[in-house]
Amino acid sequence: MRSAAALRIFLFGVALAWPVAGSTQATSPAAGPQRALPLDQLRSGSSFMSSDLRAMQADDFANPAMLWAERGAAAWARPVGAAGRSCASCHQDAQMSMRGVAARYPRFDTGTKTLVNLEGRVNLCRTAQQGAAALAYESEELLALTAHIARASRGSPLAVRIDGPAQEHFERGRILFSTRIGQMNLACMHCHDWNAGRRLLSETISQGHPNAYPAYRLEWQSTGSLHRRLRACFFGVRAEMPLPGAPELVDLELFLMWRAQGLPIESPGVRR
Ligand code: HEC
Ligand code: HEC
């Protein structure tokens, strides 16, 4: 443990925050799921960053994640697989055809009867439409394609559907968000609902929103998916980490997207 003292203070902070937030937590089932964070209190992770990092994210020439988006543009135009088609063969210019798409995922796919996120959706087209092998989660090419698609949605407010067949996935994600996990016995909500804005070791805890991914993280020296970031949080509380793309992470992603609904997409983002 790097700094036991800081951690103790932090855990004390959690204990202090508990009763206050607990009183606002009551939800009436009849009214449907209530927002944990009202729209006017939603703050993107970038608003917790230094002005240097914010400037880096905002400037396409300085933002290192744009390199992945550019590689994604090349992959988008490259014919692959038995069908010899590129993404562009069917979808033309992604900046037009994919506008707003990233804001609507994860989404229930009626064909496969699964909840798919953007990565999963790309792989459905790889296999079913191009006759190519699915791309590995966290592979450079999948990160590149998703960065390219997501940037077409920059500024689009997150708006996922949680009704119909998506509902059970949403509920699972919601339960995971408030379940204590790991040796530190903390739930996502202990940090991201109740302690946003506080310092944890060298970092400021944000509200934990998914609207900037894939993102370049200085700590990774690379671009990574939302699931890579989520795994870092599992690791942080010393919990077993689900694999990237695991169904429970897609369920959690749906809950996070709903929780952040209305927040504009910033992908590809820059994070510490
Ligand atoms: C011990 C506190 C802690 C817990 C528990 C925790 N996180 Fe985090 N999380 C952090 C810190 C610190 C960061 C990096 C700073 C930031 O963006 O909040 C982070 C980052 C994130 C981000 C990226 C936000 C952004 O704008 O880049 C998401 C999303 C997230 N966490 C979700 C979760 C989820 C879901 C869980 C539960 C599985 C969880 N976190 C549990 C501390 C925590
Ligand atoms: C042969 C034509 C074809 C090719 C090639 C193709 N797609 Fe698709 N794609 C489709 C069709 C058809 C749909 C709609 C499927 C549905 O709604 O069930 C779709 C849907 C999508 C969606 C979801 C759009 C939305 O509005 O929800 C994304 C994202 C996507 N494709 C990405 C890609 C990427 C990335 C590639 C290349 C790796 C690709 N597609 C290659 C035909 C194609």
Side-chain angles (χ1 to χ4, degrees):
M1 190 62 55
R2 260 185 306 172
S3 168
L7 197 62
R8 258 199 308 278
I9 294 164
F10 164 71
L11 289 171
F12 187 50
V14 171
L16 279 180
W18 188 291
V20 183
S23 57
T24 61
Q25 202 58 10
T27 54
S28 104
Q34 286 176 12
R35 313 185 59 121
L37 301 160
L39 189 57
D40 61 356
Q41 286 168 33
L42 279 185
R43 283 181 60 189
S44 171
S46 53
S47 76
F48 294 86
M49 305 190 309
S50 69
S51 53
D52 285 2
L53 269 191
R54 276 204 302 277
M56 191 192 274
Q57 173 173 287
D59 177 357
D60 281 356
F61 294 99
N63 181 338
M66 288 306 288
L67 203 62
W68 274 258
E70 286 309 316
R71 287 181 197 144
W76 180 266
R78 200 183 306 128
V80 295
R85 292 199 193 95
S86 70
C87 314
S89 308
C90 295
H91 296 294
Q92 285 80 39
D93 180 358
Q95 295 314 301
M96 306 290 287
S97 64
M98 293 290 140
R99 178 111 205 106
V101 167
R104 295 191 272 108
Y105 280 78
R107 192 168 182 224
F108 191 81
D109 174 59
T110 46
T112 56
K113 295 198 171 26
T114 51
L115 184 73
V116 292
N117 60 6
L118 197 56
E119 286 82 354
R121 178 65 248 187
V122 169
N123 270 334
L124 283 180
C125 277
R126 286 271 304 183
T127 52
Q129 306 284 356
Q130 293 180 302
L135 295 167
Y137 216 100
E138 226 51 42
S139 63
E140 289 292 309
E141 189 162 354
L142 190 53
L143 287 168
L145 280 168
T146 48
H148 179 55
I149 295 169
R151 84 168 140 170
S153 296
R154 274 200 280 188
S156 297
L158 299 182
V160 288
R161 291 189 63 167
I162 58 164
D163 58 345
Q167 195 181 349
E168 58 177 298
H169 295 280
F170 170 78
E171 288 303 334
R172 279 200 287 269
R174 178 154 78 151
I175 289 168
L176 179 48
F177 192 82
S178 57
T179 302
R180 291 175 176 274
I181 54 170
Q183 285 171 28
M184 284 174 67
N185 204 29
L186 288 172
C188 316
M189 71 174 179
H190 291 138
C191 286
H192 294 298
D193 275 351
W194 300 351
N195 284 287
R198 293 184 195 216
R199 303 280 298 175
L200 173 56
L201 305 179
S202 61
E203 298 203 86
T204 302
I205 302 175
S206 75
Q207 293 176 348
H209 295 309
N211 60 319
Y213 291 81
Y216 184 91
R217 244 189 111 190
L218 302 184
E219 189 180 316
W220 296 332
Q221 299 271 296
S222 180
T223 292
S225 70
L226 175 67
H227 288 195
R228 185 171 178 190
R229 171 65 249 187
L230 295 181
R231 278 163 52 86
C233 285
F234 277 78
F235 181 79
V237 296
R238 308 286 177 268
E240 205 178 304
M241 292 185 286
L243 290 172
E248 63 257 51
L249 287 187
V250 184
D251 292 349
L252 190 55
E253 180 176 352
L254 179 66
F255 173 76
L256 292 177
M257 294 290 274
W258 170 82
R259 181 173 168 270
Q261 64 186 297
L263 218 54
I265 289 194
E266 297 174 4
S267 314
V270 175
R271 291 292 182 268
R272 239 177 70 95

mmCIF file of all heavy atoms in Angstrom, residues 229-264:
data_model
loop_
_atom_site.group_PDB
_atom_site.id
_atom_site.type_symbol
_atom_site.label_atom_id
_atom_site.label_comp_id
_atom_site.label_asym_id
_atom_site.label_seq_id
_atom_site.Cartn_x
_atom_site.Cartn_y
_atom_site.Cartn_z
ATOM 1 N N ARG A 229 -10.502 1.140 -18.308
ATOM 2 C CA ARG A 229 -10.599 2.066 -17.163
ATOM 3 C C ARG A 229 -11.370 1.412 -16.008
ATOM 4 O O ARG A 229 -10.976 1.512 -14.855
ATOM 5 C CB ARG A 229 -11.279 3.358 -17.621
ATOM 6 C CG ARG A 229 -11.649 4.328 -16.527
ATOM 7 C CD ARG A 229 -10.464 4.916 -15.801
ATOM 8 N NE ARG A 229 -10.355 4.442 -14.435
ATOM 9 C CZ ARG A 229 -9.481 4.914 -13.546
ATOM 10 N NH1 ARG A 229 -8.622 5.863 -13.882
ATOM 11 N NH2 ARG A 229 -9.438 4.440 -12.326
ATOM 12 N N LEU A 230 -12.458 0.731 -16.332
ATOM 13 C CA LEU A 230 -13.249 0.087 -15.274
ATOM 14 C C LEU A 230 -12.415 -0.966 -14.562
ATOM 15 O O LEU A 230 -12.476 -1.102 -13.333
ATOM 16 C CB LEU A 230 -14.522 -0.540 -15.851
ATOM 17 C CG LEU A 230 -15.540 0.436 -16.450
ATOM 18 C CD1 LEU A 230 -16.769 -0.301 -16.956
ATOM 19 C CD2 LEU A 230 -15.947 1.504 -15.431
ATOM 20 N N ARG A 231 -11.631 -1.706 -15.322
ATOM 21 C CA ARG A 231 -10.780 -2.729 -14.708
ATOM 22 C C ARG A 231 -9.784 -2.087 -13.737
ATOM 23 O O ARG A 231 -9.468 -2.657 -12.694
ATOM 24 C CB ARG A 231 -10.050 -3.532 -15.782
ATOM 25 C CG ARG A 231 -10.926 -4.642 -16.380
ATOM 26 C CD ARG A 231 -10.375 -5.171 -17.694
ATOM 27 N NE ARG A 231 -8.974 -5.585 -17.634
ATOM 28 C CZ ARG A 231 -8.557 -6.794 -17.258
ATOM 29 N NH1 ARG A 231 -9.434 -7.711 -16.902
ATOM 30 N NH2 ARG A 231 -7.273 -7.076 -17.254
ATOM 31 N N ALA A 232 -9.331 -0.882 -14.072
ATOM 32 C CA ALA A 232 -8.412 -0.185 -13.167
ATOM 33 C C ALA A 232 -9.114 0.126 -11.843
ATOM 34 O O ALA A 232 -8.496 0.077 -10.777
ATOM 35 C CB ALA A 232 -7.893 1.098 -13.824
ATOM 36 N N CYS A 233 -10.412 0.427 -11.898
ATOM 37 C CA CYS A 233 -11.151 0.687 -10.656
ATOM 38 C C CYS A 233 -11.349 -0.605 -9.866
ATOM 39 O O CYS A 233 -11.265 -0.600 -8.638
ATOM 40 C CB CYS A 233 -12.489 1.368 -10.953
ATOM 41 S SG CYS A 233 -12.290 3.114 -11.398
ATOM 42 N N PHE A 234 -11.627 -1.715 -10.558
ATOM 43 C CA PHE A 234 -11.716 -3.005 -9.862
ATOM 44 C C PHE A 234 -10.377 -3.305 -9.178
ATOM 45 O O PHE A 234 -10.332 -3.735 -8.029
ATOM 46 C CB PHE A 234 -12.052 -4.144 -10.844
ATOM 47 C CG PHE A 234 -13.517 -4.277 -11.149
ATOM 48 C CD1 PHE A 234 -14.144 -3.420 -12.040
ATOM 49 C CD2 PHE A 234 -14.277 -5.277 -10.558
ATOM 50 C CE1 PHE A 234 -15.496 -3.549 -12.333
ATOM 51 C CE2 PHE A 234 -15.635 -5.415 -10.837
ATOM 52 C CZ PHE A 234 -16.238 -4.546 -11.724
ATOM 53 N N PHE A 235 -9.292 -3.070 -9.917
ATOM 54 C CA PHE A 235 -7.958 -3.324 -9.362
ATOM 55 C C PHE A 235 -7.713 -2.428 -8.149
ATOM 56 O O PHE A 235 -7.150 -2.864 -7.148
ATOM 57 C CB PHE A 235 -6.897 -3.067 -10.447
ATOM 58 C CG PHE A 235 -5.493 -3.322 -10.002
ATOM 59 C CD1 PHE A 235 -5.005 -4.619 -9.931
ATOM 60 C CD2 PHE A 235 -4.665 -2.261 -9.641
ATOM 61 C CE1 PHE A 235 -3.699 -4.860 -9.515
ATOM 62 C CE2 PHE A 235 -3.366 -2.502 -9.224
ATOM 63 C CZ PHE A 235 -2.876 -3.799 -9.155
ATOM 64 N N GLY A 236 -8.178 -1.186 -8.258
ATOM 65 C CA GLY A 236 -7.956 -0.215 -7.195
ATOM 66 C C GLY A 236 -8.560 -0.631 -5.856
ATOM 67 O O GLY A 236 -8.024 -0.305 -4.804
ATOM 68 N N VAL A 237 -9.680 -1.338 -5.906
ATOM 69 C CA VAL A 237 -10.296 -1.791 -4.650
ATOM 70 C C VAL A 237 -9.925 -3.247 -4.365
ATOM 71 O O VAL A 237 -10.523 -3.898 -3.513
ATOM 72 C CB VAL A 237 -11.831 -1.616 -4.645
ATOM 73 C CG1 VAL A 237 -12.190 -0.156 -4.727
ATOM 74 C CG2 VAL A 237 -12.498 -2.389 -5.773
ATOM 75 N N ARG A 238 -8.923 -3.756 -5.103
ATOM 76 C CA ARG A 238 -8.424 -5.126 -4.922
ATOM 77 C C ARG A 238 -9.524 -6.157 -5.131
ATOM 78 O O ARG A 238 -9.694 -7.087 -4.353
ATOM 79 C CB ARG A 238 -7.808 -5.317 -3.521
ATOM 80 C CG ARG A 238 -6.753 -4.287 -3.146
ATOM 81 C CD ARG A 238 -5.442 -4.520 -3.886
ATOM 82 N NE ARG A 238 -4.461 -3.480 -3.559
ATOM 83 C CZ ARG A 238 -4.300 -2.360 -4.270
ATOM 84 N NH1 ARG A 238 -5.035 -2.130 -5.353
ATOM 85 N NH2 ARG A 238 -3.394 -1.480 -3.919
ATOM 86 N N ALA A 239 -10.311 -5.946 -6.197
ATOM 87 C CA ALA A 239 -11.354 -6.917 -6.553
ATOM 88 C C ALA A 239 -10.894 -7.695 -7.788
ATOM 89 O O ALA A 239 -10.037 -7.220 -8.539
ATOM 90 C CB ALA A 239 -12.668 -6.208 -6.854
ATOM 91 N N GLU A 240 -11.476 -8.848 -7.985
ATOM 92 C CA GLU A 240 -11.176 -9.624 -9.181
ATOM 93 C C GLU A 240 -11.659 -8.831 -10.393
ATOM 94 O O GLU A 240 -12.777 -8.302 -10.392
ATOM 95 C CB GLU A 240 -11.906 -10.963 -9.093
ATOM 96 C CG GLU A 240 -11.247 -12.063 -9.900
ATOM 97 C CD GLU A 240 -11.987 -13.375 -9.747
ATOM 98 O OE1 GLU A 240 -12.143 -13.824 -8.585
ATOM 99 O OE2 GLU A 240 -12.430 -13.911 -10.769
ATOM 100 N N MET A 241 -10.825 -8.770 -11.445
ATOM 101 C CA MET A 241 -11.172 -7.945 -12.597
ATOM 102 C C MET A 241 -11.858 -8.767 -13.683
ATOM 103 O O MET A 241 -11.276 -9.724 -14.182
ATOM 104 C CB MET A 241 -9.903 -7.326 -13.180
ATOM 105 C CG MET A 241 -9.243 -6.307 -12.284
ATOM 106 S SD MET A 241 -7.853 -5.546 -13.146
ATOM 107 C CE MET A 241 -6.645 -6.868 -13.087
ATOM 108 N N PRO A 242 -13.079 -8.383 -14.087
ATOM 109 C CA PRO A 242 -13.699 -9.056 -15.236
ATOM 110 C C PRO A 242 -12.867 -8.786 -16.492
ATOM 111 O O PRO A 242 -12.183 -7.755 -16.581
ATOM 112 C CB PRO A 242 -15.064 -8.375 -15.359
ATOM 113 C CG PRO A 242 -15.273 -7.611 -14.098
ATOM 114 C CD PRO A 242 -13.920 -7.303 -13.552
ATOM 115 N N LEU A 243 -12.916 -9.703 -17.453
ATOM 116 C CA LEU A 243 -12.185 -9.496 -18.705
ATOM 117 C C LEU A 243 -12.803 -8.330 -19.472
ATOM 118 O O LEU A 243 -14.008 -8.096 -19.376
ATOM 119 C CB LEU A 243 -12.252 -10.754 -19.566
ATOM 120 C CG LEU A 243 -11.468 -11.961 -19.064
ATOM 121 C CD1 LEU A 243 -11.778 -13.195 -19.917
ATOM 122 C CD2 LEU A 243 -9.970 -11.668 -19.073
ATOM 123 N N PRO A 244 -11.998 -7.614 -20.279
ATOM 124 C CA PRO A 244 -12.583 -6.563 -21.125
ATOM 125 C C PRO A 244 -13.638 -7.191 -22.042
ATOM 126 O O PRO A 244 -13.409 -8.265 -22.591
ATOM 127 C CB PRO A 244 -11.395 -6.066 -21.955
ATOM 128 C CG PRO A 244 -10.163 -6.551 -21.273
ATOM 129 C CD PRO A 244 -10.545 -7.777 -20.503
ATOM 130 N N GLY A 245 -14.786 -6.548 -22.153
ATOM 131 C CA GLY A 245 -15.852 -7.085 -22.990
ATOM 132 C C GLY A 245 -16.757 -8.065 -22.262
ATOM 133 O O GLY A 245 -17.751 -8.517 -22.829
ATOM 134 N N ALA A 246 -16.437 -8.407 -21.003
ATOM 135 C CA ALA A 246 -17.268 -9.354 -20.245
ATOM 136 C C ALA A 246 -18.684 -8.795 -20.095
ATOM 137 O O ALA A 246 -18.861 -7.579 -19.946
ATOM 138 C CB ALA A 246 -16.659 -9.604 -18.868
ATOM 139 N N PRO A 247 -19.708 -9.687 -20.139
ATOM 140 C CA PRO A 247 -21.097 -9.222 -20.055
ATOM 141 C C PRO A 247 -21.355 -8.319 -18.849
ATOM 142 O O PRO A 247 -22.095 -7.337 -18.968
ATOM 143 C CB PRO A 247 -21.901 -10.525 -19.938
ATOM 144 C CG PRO A 247 -21.041 -11.563 -20.571
ATOM 145 C CD PRO A 247 -19.617 -11.149 -20.323
ATOM 146 N N GLU A 248 -20.745 -8.609 -17.698
ATOM 147 C CA GLU A 248 -21.045 -7.749 -16.540
ATOM 148 C C GLU A 248 -20.485 -6.333 -16.730
ATOM 149 O O GLU A 248 -21.047 -5.375 -16.209
ATOM 150 C CB GLU A 248 -20.575 -8.364 -15.224
ATOM 151 C CG GLU A 248 -19.087 -8.574 -15.079
ATOM 152 C CD GLU A 248 -18.698 -10.042 -15.284
ATOM 153 O OE1 GLU A 248 -19.108 -10.638 -16.315
ATOM 154 O OE2 GLU A 248 -17.983 -10.579 -14.421
ATOM 155 N N LEU A 249 -19.416 -6.203 -17.503
ATOM 156 C CA LEU A 249 -18.899 -4.857 -17.766
ATOM 157 C C LEU A 249 -19.795 -4.120 -18.776
ATOM 158 O O LEU A 249 -19.953 -2.900 -18.697
ATOM 159 C CB LEU A 249 -17.456 -4.904 -18.263
ATOM 160 C CG LEU A 249 -16.390 -5.259 -17.222
ATOM 161 C CD1 LEU A 249 -14.990 -5.094 -17.813
ATOM 162 C CD2 LEU A 249 -16.515 -4.424 -15.956
ATOM 163 N N VAL A 250 -20.369 -4.865 -19.721
ATOM 164 C CA VAL A 250 -21.291 -4.220 -20.677
ATOM 165 C C VAL A 250 -22.556 -3.765 -19.941
ATOM 166 O O VAL A 250 -23.073 -2.679 -20.185
ATOM 167 C CB VAL A 250 -21.625 -5.159 -21.860
ATOM 168 C CG1 VAL A 250 -22.496 -4.436 -22.882
ATOM 169 C CG2 VAL A 250 -20.352 -5.657 -22.543
ATOM 170 N N ASP A 251 -23.037 -4.593 -19.008
ATOM 171 C CA ASP A 251 -24.191 -4.193 -18.184
ATOM 172 C C ASP A 251 -23.866 -2.932 -17.375
ATOM 173 O O ASP A 251 -24.662 -1.995 -17.293
ATOM 174 C CB ASP A 251 -24.583 -5.317 -17.210
ATOM 175 C CG ASP A 251 -25.152 -6.548 -17.931
ATOM 176 O OD1 ASP A 251 -25.431 -6.466 -19.141
ATOM 177 O OD2 ASP A 251 -25.302 -7.599 -17.271
ATOM 178 N N LEU A 252 -22.680 -2.928 -16.787
ATOM 179 C CA LEU A 252 -22.246 -1.775 -15.999
ATOM 180 C C LEU A 252 -22.138 -0.536 -16.894
ATOM 181 O O LEU A 252 -22.531 0.566 -16.512
ATOM 182 C CB LEU A 252 -20.891 -2.097 -15.348
ATOM 183 C CG LEU A 252 -20.341 -1.141 -14.306
ATOM 184 C CD1 LEU A 252 -21.331 -0.905 -13.178
ATOM 185 C CD2 LEU A 252 -19.016 -1.681 -13.746
ATOM 186 N N GLU A 253 -21.630 -0.745 -18.096
ATOM 187 C CA GLU A 253 -21.501 0.353 -19.062
ATOM 188 C C GLU A 253 -22.870 0.955 -19.390
ATOM 189 O O GLU A 253 -23.013 2.178 -19.461
ATOM 190 C CB GLU A 253 -20.827 -0.187 -20.338
ATOM 191 C CG GLU A 253 -20.636 0.852 -21.426
ATOM 192 C CD GLU A 253 -19.886 0.303 -22.642
ATOM 193 O OE1 GLU A 253 -19.374 -0.841 -22.597
ATOM 194 O OE2 GLU A 253 -19.809 1.029 -23.639
ATOM 195 N N LEU A 254 -23.877 0.087 -19.541
ATOM 196 C CA LEU A 254 -25.231 0.592 -19.817
ATOM 197 C C LEU A 254 -25.723 1.455 -18.659
ATOM 198 O O LEU A 254 -26.260 2.548 -18.857
ATOM 199 C CB LEU A 254 -26.206 -0.572 -20.052
ATOM 200 C CG LEU A 254 -27.663 -0.160 -20.332
ATOM 201 C CD1 LEU A 254 -27.768 0.592 -21.654
ATOM 202 C CD2 LEU A 254 -28.593 -1.373 -20.349
ATOM 203 N N PHE A 255 -25.495 0.973 -17.447
ATOM 204 C CA PHE A 255 -25.915 1.766 -16.285
ATOM 205 C C PHE A 255 -25.175 3.112 -16.258
ATOM 206 O O PHE A 255 -25.785 4.159 -16.023
ATOM 207 C CB PHE A 255 -25.661 1.004 -14.972
ATOM 208 C CG PHE A 255 -25.931 1.863 -13.766
ATOM 209 C CD1 PHE A 255 -27.232 2.118 -13.365
ATOM 210 C CD2 PHE A 255 -24.887 2.465 -13.075
ATOM 211 C CE1 PHE A 255 -27.488 2.959 -12.284
ATOM 212 C CE2 PHE A 255 -25.140 3.302 -11.991
ATOM 213 C CZ PHE A 255 -26.446 3.544 -11.591
ATOM 214 N N LEU A 256 -23.871 3.086 -16.511
ATOM 215 C CA LEU A 256 -23.086 4.333 -16.478
ATOM 216 C C LEU A 256 -23.569 5.315 -17.542
ATOM 217 O O LEU A 256 -23.644 6.522 -17.297
ATOM 218 C CB LEU A 256 -21.600 4.040 -16.697
ATOM 219 C CG LEU A 256 -20.859 3.286 -15.593
ATOM 220 C CD1 LEU A 256 -19.415 3.010 -16.014
ATOM 221 C CD2 LEU A 256 -20.892 4.053 -14.267
ATOM 222 N N MET A 257 -23.900 4.799 -18.719
ATOM 223 C CA MET A 257 -24.368 5.674 -19.797
ATOM 224 C C MET A 257 -25.713 6.304 -19.424
ATOM 225 O O MET A 257 -25.964 7.473 -19.703
ATOM 226 C CB MET A 257 -24.510 4.882 -21.105
ATOM 227 C CG MET A 257 -23.200 4.364 -21.659
ATOM 228 S SD MET A 257 -22.105 5.638 -22.315
ATOM 229 C CE MET A 257 -22.709 5.777 -23.984
ATOM 230 N N TRP A 258 -26.566 5.515 -18.785
ATOM 231 C CA TRP A 258 -27.857 6.049 -18.339
ATOM 232 C C TRP A 258 -27.659 7.096 -17.246
ATOM 233 O O TRP A 258 -28.282 8.148 -17.233
ATOM 234 C CB TRP A 258 -28.741 4.904 -17.806
ATOM 235 C CG TRP A 258 -29.972 5.424 -17.129
ATOM 236 C CD1 TRP A 258 -31.127 5.820 -17.726
ATOM 237 C CD2 TRP A 258 -30.138 5.632 -15.719
ATOM 238 N NE1 TRP A 258 -32.010 6.265 -16.765
ATOM 239 C CE2 TRP A 258 -31.434 6.162 -15.523
ATOM 240 C CE3 TRP A 258 -29.319 5.418 -14.606
ATOM 241 C CZ2 TRP A 258 -31.925 6.480 -14.260
ATOM 242 C CZ3 TRP A 258 -29.803 5.743 -13.349
ATOM 243 C CH2 TRP A 258 -31.101 6.267 -13.188
ATOM 244 N N ARG A 259 -26.736 6.765 -16.322
ATOM 245 C CA ARG A 259 -26.476 7.647 -15.192
ATOM 246 C C ARG A 259 -25.937 8.997 -15.671
ATOM 247 O O ARG A 259 -26.140 10.022 -15.037
ATOM 248 C CB ARG A 259 -25.460 6.938 -14.287
ATOM 249 C CG ARG A 259 -25.033 7.640 -13.033
ATOM 250 C CD ARG A 259 -24.163 6.687 -12.226
ATOM 251 N NE ARG A 259 -23.481 7.380 -11.157
ATOM 252 C CZ ARG A 259 -22.279 7.932 -11.284
ATOM 253 N NH1 ARG A 259 -21.632 7.855 -12.428
ATOM 254 N NH2 ARG A 259 -21.738 8.554 -10.254
ATOM 255 N N ALA A 260 -25.254 8.967 -16.825
ATOM 256 C CA ALA A 260 -24.644 10.191 -17.363
ATOM 257 C C ALA A 260 -25.478 10.793 -18.492
ATOM 258 O O ALA A 260 -25.018 11.691 -19.190
ATOM 259 C CB ALA A 260 -23.232 9.880 -17.872
ATOM 260 N N GLN A 261 -26.701 10.289 -18.676
ATOM 261 C CA GLN A 261 -27.513 10.727 -19.817
ATOM 262 C C GLN A 261 -27.605 12.245 -19.848
ATOM 263 O O GLN A 261 -27.782 12.903 -18.828
ATOM 264 C CB GLN A 261 -28.912 10.115 -19.762
ATOM 265 C CG GLN A 261 -29.729 10.571 -18.557
ATOM 266 C CD GLN A 261 -31.057 9.839 -18.461
ATOM 267 O OE1 GLN A 261 -31.891 9.966 -19.338
ATOM 268 N NE2 GLN A 261 -31.241 9.065 -17.400
ATOM 269 N N GLY A 262 -27.448 12.783 -21.051
ATOM 270 C CA GLY A 262 -27.479 14.230 -21.223
ATOM 271 C C GLY A 262 -26.098 14.839 -21.336
ATOM 272 O O GLY A 262 -25.912 15.904 -21.931
ATOM 273 N N LEU A 263 -25.103 14.150 -20.798
ATOM 274 C CA LEU A 263 -23.716 14.643 -20.889
ATOM 275 C C LEU A 263 -23.212 14.430 -22.323
ATOM 276 O O LEU A 263 -23.424 13.365 -22.887
ATOM 277 C CB LEU A 263 -22.857 13.829 -19.917
ATOM 278 C CG LEU A 263 -21.749 14.508 -19.129
ATOM 279 C CD1 LEU A 263 -22.252 15.711 -18.367
ATOM 280 C CD2 LEU A 263 -21.136 13.496 -18.170
ATOM 281 N N PRO A 264 -22.554 15.420 -22.911
ATOM 282 C CA PRO A 264 -22.102 15.251 -24.294
ATOM 283 C C PRO A 264 -20.868 14.348 -24.409
ATOM 284 O O PRO A 264 -20.006 14.342 -23.524
ATOM 285 C CB PRO A 264 -21.765 16.672 -24.741
ATOM 286 C CG PRO A 264 -21.562 17.451 -23.502
ATOM 287 C CD PRO A 264 -22.323 16.776 -22.399
#
